[in-house]
Amino acid sequence: MSLILCPECGHQISDQAATCPYCGISMHTMHTEETVIPVTEQPSQEPLPTPQQPRRNKGMIWLLAFIVALALCIVTYMCWSNAAEEKLEMQRYEEAMLSTNVQDLKDYLVQFNDAPQEHRDSVSARLNLLTEEEADWANTVAKGAKNALMEFIKAHPKSLHRGEAEDLIDSIDFSVAVRKGTAEAYAEYLKMHSESRRAAEAQEFLDNKKASEATAEEKAMARDVCRRFLQAVNARNEEKLLGTVSDVMASFLGHNNASKQEAVQFMNKLYKEDITNMNWYILDDFKAEKNVEGSAAPANITAHFTAEQKIERTDESKEKDVKYAVTVEITPDSKITKFNLRKIQ
């Protein structure tokens, strides 16, 4: 007896077998075509294949394919995640370098501790600069001086506090104009701050000031009325004095709706028993303006001036030279309707 290979499945079978015990194929017509293996021939050392081997090969292929696909997914996700992180870091870096908020820069350094070193160095340098700027601003505000504010703007032109500094300078300059109260002061303010939120107020002052300016003729008339009033006092002339005042004055030395006789009483009180003579002089600071507020044209004229009173008296111990700040309002028909004075020396 000899062993032969089944032509269908390849298993070794006896040459006397009618069918293959492995695959069941008939062997009658194939004996002459099969390869005969002598019984005494040493069988192959390779393990005989089993019917399950093809299925195992397919399982291994699917497992390997899954592992490769999973690895590709992981690599793809990591690449996408890194790209997204780099994009976010770049966006936050650009925002931090443009920000004037100290906290924005601190947040960047905390969130992106693995950012490129050049980015972290740039943000750190800007953070130090802004920290110094905040200290400078605190010192500038504490000083509260215009020069200090201007120096801060010069040192930190892009500072978040620049607007505050400019507004403080504007406020200081406007306060100066208000304190001086002159058209020149307001004009100077507008020259420096034409776009200021206070510019309209300054312009209104100038417009009113211009409208209230007395003409040369009006100033001359007002000065003449004041001069005649004081000359009447010097001469103690009641008739001339009454000729300079209205029948009913709006105010005379603080008394409202004063009669003409109050002017006479004022003159008589000035002449004490020891006074032998007196002279009133209008000094060179005489100013006159129209009283346009709340009044219809023609407007009254308001005069402001310093008057010097020189007194001759028998009592040498008493004052002989006195100065007064005088305010007089005069009607268009050249009559005094308000008279007030305040001793200044």
Side-chain angles (χ1 to χ4, degrees):
M1 181 185 69
S2 302
L3 294 177
I4 63 175
L5 296 176
C6 174
E8 182 67 20
C9 65
H11 284 80
Q12 292 181 347
I13 62 175
S14 170
D15 60 350
Q16 301 300 317
T19 60
C20 176
Y22 295 99
C23 65
I25 192 171
S26 176
M27 303 298 295
H28 289 295
T29 59
M30 299 184 181
H31 283 294
T32 58
E33 300 175 5
E34 305 299 330
T35 303
V36 177
I37 302 176
V39 176
T40 58
E41 184 179 349
Q42 184 67 29
S44 172
Q45 298 299 315
E46 295 182 2
L48 297 176
T50 63
Q52 293 79 16
Q53 191 69 27
R55 294 181 180 179
R56 291 181 179 178
N57 290 340
K58 286 184 178 181
M60 289 297 294
I61 292 172
W62 280 107
L63 178 61
L64 289 173
F66 173 77
I67 292 173
V68 170
L70 180 62
L72 287 174
C73 289
I74 293 173
V75 170
T76 300
Y77 172 77
M78 291 180 66
C79 290
W80 174 84
S81 178
N82 289 340
E85 183 71 15
E86 290 176 1
K87 183 179 179 180
L88 178 62
E89 184 276 331
M90 177 59 74
Q91 179 182 346
R92 293 291 186 269
Y93 167 72
E94 292 174 350
E95 292 173 354
M97 292 304 292
L98 293 174
S99 176
T100 53
N101 189 334
V102 170
Q103 192 58 47
D104 290 344
L105 280 75
K106 290 182 178 179
D107 290 344
Y108 170 87
L109 292 174
V110 171
Q111 183 178 359
F112 301 101
N113 54 9
D114 58 347
Q117 191 60 43
E118 59 270 22
H119 285 190
R120 291 183 59 83
D121 290 345
S122 297
V123 172
S124 296
R126 181 162 177 77
L127 177 59
N128 292 335
L129 182 64
L130 288 178
T131 301
E132 293 176 3
E133 179 184 310
E134 288 299 318
D136 287 348
W137 174 244
N139 291 333
T140 299
V141 172
K143 293 177 181 177
K146 179 179 177 179
N147 288 342
L149 291 164
M150 294 177 68
E151 286 297 324
F152 177 85
I153 293 174
K154 183 178 179 181
H156 308 284
K158 296 182 179 180
S159 171
L160 181 66
H161 299 293
R162 175 166 185 156
E164 296 175 74
E166 290 175 341
D167 190 63
L168 286 172
I169 291 173
D170 178 273
S171 179
I172 291 172
D173 289 342
F174 189 75
S175 296
V176 171
V178 171
R179 185 175 67 251
K180 291 182 177 179
T182 63
E184 293 76 14
Y186 278 91
E188 182 65 21
Y189 168 80
L190 280 176
K191 183 179 179 181
M192 295 185 292
H193 306 283
S194 59
E195 301 299 325
S196 167
R197 57 188 175 86
R198 301 179 180 89
E201 184 177 350
Q203 187 61 54
E204 182 180 3
F205 175 90
L206 286 176
D207 292 342
N208 292 336
K209 195 73 173 176
K210 185 175 182 180
S212 66
E213 288 180 356
T215 64
E217 292 77 10
E218 290 168 331
K219 290 180 181 179
M221 180 272 289
R223 186 182 182 93
D224 179 64
V225 172
C226 294
R227 179 183 57 80
R228 287 190 290 111
F229 177 88
L230 294 177
Q231 284 179 342
V233 172
N234 292 338
R236 204 171 184 178
N237 188 318
E238 181 176 329
E239 182 180 356
K240 289 185 177 180
L241 182 68
L242 292 175
T244 62
V245 298
S246 299
D247 292 339
V248 178
M249 292 178 284
S251 173
F252 190 86
L253 296 178
H255 297 161
N256 295 331
N257 299 318
S259 68
K260 299 176 71 170
Q261 290 303 315
E262 291 197 34
V264 177
Q265 293 172 9
F266 161 72
M267 177 182 67
N268 292 331
K269 286 181 180 180
L270 289 175
Y271 281 89
K272 307 298 182 183
E273 292 182 357
D274 66 318
I275 295 178
T276 58
N277 187 40
M278 75 170 61
N279 286 287
W280 289 79
Y281 300 93
I282 298 175
L283 301 188
D284 294 335
D285 59 351
F286 188 92
K287 295 179 181 179
E289 60 187 12
K290 291 180 182 177
N291 186 15
V292 295
E293 188 174 344
S295 63
N300 290 348
I301 304 297
T302 300
H304 305 274
F305 60 93
T306 301
E308 185 176 12
Q309 180 193 28
K310 291 185 177 294
I311 306 170
E312 297 177 13
R313 59 200 323 162
T314 57
D315 189 346
E316 296 293 333
S317 64
K318 294 182 179 180
E319 59 187 0
K320 297 180 181 180
D321 194 343
V322 188
K323 289 182 180 179
Y324 295 89
V326 184
T327 301
V328 181
E329 186 171 325
I330 304 164
T331 63
D333 61 351
S334 303
K335 299 293 184 181
I336 293 174
T337 185
K338 290 183 181 180
F339 181 86
N340 287 285
L341 76 168
R342 175 178 53 85
K343 186 177 180 180
I344 57 177
Q345 180 178 328

